[in-house]
Amino acid sequence: MDQDRSRLNLEEPRRVTIREVARAAGVSVSTASKALNEQGRMSPETRDRVRQIARDVGFRPNAVARALVGKRSFTLGLITNDTYGRFTLPVAAGLASAMASKGVSVFLCAVDDDPARVRLSIEAMEDKRVDGLVIAGKRIDRAPPLENRRPAMPVVYANAATPPEGVGFVPDDKRGGALAARHLLSLGRRRLAHISGPEDFAAVALRAAGWCQVLRDAGLEPYGKSLHGSWSEAFGYETGLFLRERLGTERYPDAVFCGNDQIARGLIDALQVRQIRVPEDIAVVGYDNWDIFARATRPPLTTIDMALTRLGECAGLTLLDMIAGKAVEPGLRKLPCHLVMRQSCGGEQIGDAT
Amino acid sequence: MDQDRSRLNLEEPRRVTIREVARAAGVSVSTASKALNEQGRMSPETRDRVRQIARDVGFRPNAVARALVGKRSFTLGLITNDTYGRFTLPVAAGLASAMASKGVSVFLCAVDDDPARVRLSIEAMEDKRVDGLVIAGKRIDRAPPLENRRPAMPVVYANAATPPEGVGFVPDDKRGGALAARHLLSLGRRRLAHISGPEDFAAVALRAAGWCQVLRDAGLEPYGKSLHGSWSEAFGYETGLFLRERLGTERYPDAVFCGNDQIARGLIDALQVRQIRVPEDIAVVGYDNWDIFARATRPPLTTIDMALTRLGECAGLTLLDMIAGKAVEPGLRKLPCHLVMRQSCGGEQIGDAT
């Protein structure tokens, strides 16, 4: 059968009709149609058999005709302004993988921050009658510029600002900061400094809040001034070269929690120039678990993983519920982060989630 | 007018009809239709006026109905097995940007290397009647596993293996290797070593061939053994720690051309540990111009840029020609790379293409 199909595919593409599916399954066209549309009553065995046969013979319902009469098209759209892909690619991977197992395809449009591009993409998604839309971003306090345009389909936000009546998924950054602090405290570190990205990012404030709360619960204050700069190795490196001076402290900290992995890597490189040992003298925790950085750092970086792949899965499954007409509460869902231990803090290397 | 539209969009989405466009333009429905479909004779002024009015009032032809009668849908598909996005994201950015200016949207499906996922995605693209398909990859000698399936639409390959009768675009890797060699020769370097990725990559052989040819034309041989390893900082770092031993040479090379930026960065870090100065003692050229690595390297990396954004543009424009029925020669197009000078070779910093 498979051989026949591949031979067939080398010829002019030809669609298998529902009549052929019905004949092969020994049921009426109407029963076959109900089985494939998940409508009407029949035994689960019959439904499964028809669907299996449809798959075997390569049947695909005519999506265009189906869309015209308002049925599902088994496609989702994903619109993102993260053209670099750092955040959206793991989200897209989780989404596409969870959806593929349900026979649903995901179309991604990367739009940068140009409202005209966003409009064009949303219109294209609407024109193509995708069943629903995931709107993804590169930070939790911004979204692609929709300009009051409400897509004519169910929408879920992922790692992006979510409007009050919307459904959204973001990493729990406050918990991420708390995880870093607890880990360092558990290793006996007590002079705990934090350096992070620009202050106007909501994630920066949340990570710092989670971090500070755990410190205060332990009777400690953050060690030295809090330092903010770009999300870059360069900022980490410059800070590392003059760490005490920048923090305004007499002694070095014994641990630094960095707002992302690039800052952490720059910091560690600079500490090595200053002959300060990581993790013996200073333990370092990163954030993101971006593995091309986290693994290449010497020593490899212990860091917080935002579980963006899982976030993409959750966004997709919730969107399917909305498309199916199930009641979904509006609001923001914060998904747990987790700590990935490598070697930049010492302690036992208990595993690597990636 | 714009205010009215945004107010309208807050209400239930409502489609503007072609009748309203015709009325606003003071032409018949038939003339409006011809103007918007680029068919039929009329003055360019009339056509432009109708199209401008259609844009102003937010008219969009019903894509589903249009697809049913075989007209263009003004969408392209992009299927890639580069789930990391390193290669496909710049290609996608160039493609989407060139297409946006023509009112064409691009839907991306990332498929990894699972044939079932590839099939699902191609079927979804066909079902949605996209006008054409770009198939993109992460190396020039592989493509997503289509398994003899010929998509029912025009196809262009981008940075992927192209079948003999297909149309494809790849970076000119041989020229990239030659550019690196010419640059180092022009700076007076004469002991020129090359370390690169795994030998089974076609790009590795092509870069080495271009490199060697320029050296031989200058009466030189490659300095030391050619070394191959993974595309990682770790390989560059280990090689750098024992560079003479690995190359099998008595003296250090005075220049190293690395197969990608990650190898180059690892090499430079190791040379610093050995107190070898870059670029004074050894000049280093990378490959890729992956800016998060190339800019963060100390000193910032001189490297070869494969112009993948331009490659995406070219692939899209050629695909539009094929969709429009123009004659397009099958075959592989090799697009020029260029050198981006930063500071890892010395010489004058003449600019930065990124």
Side-chain angles (χ1 to χ4, degrees), chain A residues 22-98:
Chain A
R23 197 181 315 129
V27 299
S28 69
V29 169
S30 143
T31 300
S33 167
K34 284 178 196 159
L36 296 172
N37 285 312
E38 301 189 56
Q39 291 170 339
R41 288 188 196 172
M42 71 187 64
S43 73
E45 293 75 23
T46 304
R47 191 184 302 278
D48 289 349
R49 188 162 51 85
V50 173
R51 293 169 69 89
Q52 183 59 50
I53 285 167
R55 272 194 296 273
D56 289 346
V57 302
F59 172 75
R60 284 179 296 136
N62 184 322
V64 173
R66 194 170 51 182
L68 265 186
V69 296
K71 294 256 168 53
R72 288 183 52 189
S73 73
F74 293 93
T75 47
L76 300 181
L78 170 59
I79 287 184
T80 176
N81 62 348
D82 171 30
T83 44
Y84 213 146
R86 165 69 195 105
F87 302 103
T88 296
L89 283 174
V91 170
L95 174 66
S97 166

Side-chain angles (χ1 to χ4, degrees), chain B:
Chain B
M1 171 90 69
D2 275 328
Q3 266 196 342
D4 284 339
R5 283 177 61 203
S6 65
R7 215 181 319 130
L8 190 71
N9 286 333
L10 286 170
E11 309 296 322
E12 209 48 31
R14 186 189 75 84
R15 277 178 185 273
V16 175
T17 68
I18 195 161
R19 255 168 235 294
E20 292 167 273
V21 175
R23 197 181 316 128
V27 299
S28 69
V29 169
S30 144
T31 300
S33 167
K34 284 179 196 158
L36 296 172
N37 285 312
E38 302 189 54
Q39 290 170 340
R41 289 190 196 170
M42 69 186 66
S43 71
E45 292 75 23
T46 304
R47 191 184 301 279
D48 289 349
R49 189 162 51 86
V50 173
R51 294 168 72 89
Q52 183 58 50
I53 285 167
R55 272 194 296 274
D56 288 347
V57 301
F59 173 74
R60 286 179 295 135
N62 183 322
V64 172
R66 196 170 50 182
L68 264 186
V69 295
K71 294 255 167 55
R72 290 182 52 189
S73 74
F74 293 92
T75 47
L76 300 180
L78 170 61
I79 287 184
T80 176
N81 62 349
D82 170 30
T83 44
Y84 214 146
R86 166 67 196 103
F87 301 104
T88 295
L89 283 175
V91 170
L95 174 66
S97 164
M99 296 301 99
S101 68
K102 298 184 179 294
V104 172
S105 293
V106 178
F107 292 153
L108 184 151
C109 283
V111 293
D112 60 40
D113 282 315
D114 173 10
R117 285 277 292 277
V118 175
R119 198 182 319 122
L120 180 69
S121 296
I122 290 182
E123 288 174 359
M125 297 286 187
E126 289 172 347
D127 284 347
K128 292 301 187 188
R129 303 282 194 271
V130 303
D131 296 324
L133 194 59
V134 175
I135 295 180
K138 49 194 170 192
R139 50 189 285 192
I140 59 172
D141 48 6
R142 296 275 192 283
L146 268 74
E147 296 191 313
N148 288 330
R149 200 177 184 306
R150 208 172 48 177
M153 64 187 85
V155 172
V156 168
Y157 291 80
N159 196 51
T162 302
E165 73 288 2
V167 175
F169 290 83
V170 294
D172 188 344
D173 280 304
K174 193 171 172 192
R175 177 171 162 155
L179 276 177
R182 273 195 218 106
H183 182 61
L184 293 167
L185 288 173
S186 77
L187 296 170
R189 309 282 171 153
R190 288 298 177 269
R191 298 189 306 280
L192 301 166
H194 180 38
I195 71 179
S196 194
E199 283 185 273
D200 71 324
F201 278 67
V204 166
L206 287 166
R207 291 167 196 177
W211 165 260
C212 289
Q213 191 176 311
V214 170
L215 262 55
R216 286 181 185 139
D217 290 351
L220 295 170
E221 285 295 315
Y223 192 71
K225 290 180 219 158
S226 79
L227 300 174
H228 298 280
S230 66
W231 294 114
S232 67
E233 284 191 58
F235 169 60
Y237 191 78
E238 287 155 25
T239 304
L241 287 182
F242 306 100
L243 187 56
R244 272 177 313 163
E245 295 84 342
R246 296 283 164 88
L247 289 171
T249 55
E250 264 184 46
R251 298 173 65 188
Y252 276 103
D254 59 13
V256 181
F257 168 42
C258 297
N260 78 355
D261 291 344
Q262 288 163 280
I263 294 173
R265 175 157 195 195
L267 180 81
I268 289 176
D269 282 357
L271 294 177
Q272 276 164 350
V273 170
R274 294 290 188 233
Q275 318 248 316
I276 296 166
R277 296 166 304 164
V278 175
E280 294 83 349
D281 302 323
I282 302 184
V284 176
V285 179
Y287 206 101
D288 280 352
N289 195 25
W290 192 358
D291 67 353
I292 50 167
F293 284 100
R295 288 178 192 278
T297 302
R298 285 171 293 268
L301 207 53
T302 291
T303 183
I304 307 295
D305 187 307
M306 293 185 283
L308 293 172
T309 303
R310 172 86 186 124
L311 197 149
E313 284 171 23
C314 292
L317 295 172
T318 302
L319 187 53
L320 288 190
D321 281 348
M322 292 164 71
I323 292 163
K326 292 185 194 159
V328 170
E329 283 283 309
L332 200 59
R333 277 83 163 156
K334 296 184 179 182
L335 297 192
C337 307
H338 60 270
L339 182 85
V340 176
M341 281 185 74
R342 292 197 183 89
Q343 292 145 39
S344 63
C345 294
E348 203 179 6
Q349 186 176 355
I350 55 173
D352 184 333
T354 61

Side-chain angles (χ1 to χ4, degrees), chain A residues 270-291:
Chain A
L271 294 177
Q272 276 164 350
V273 170
R274 294 290 187 231
Q275 316 249 318
I276 296 165
R277 295 166 306 162
V278 175
E280 293 83 349
D281 302 323
I282 302 185
V284 177
V285 179
Y287 206 102
D288 280 352
N289 194 26
W290 192 358
D291 67 352

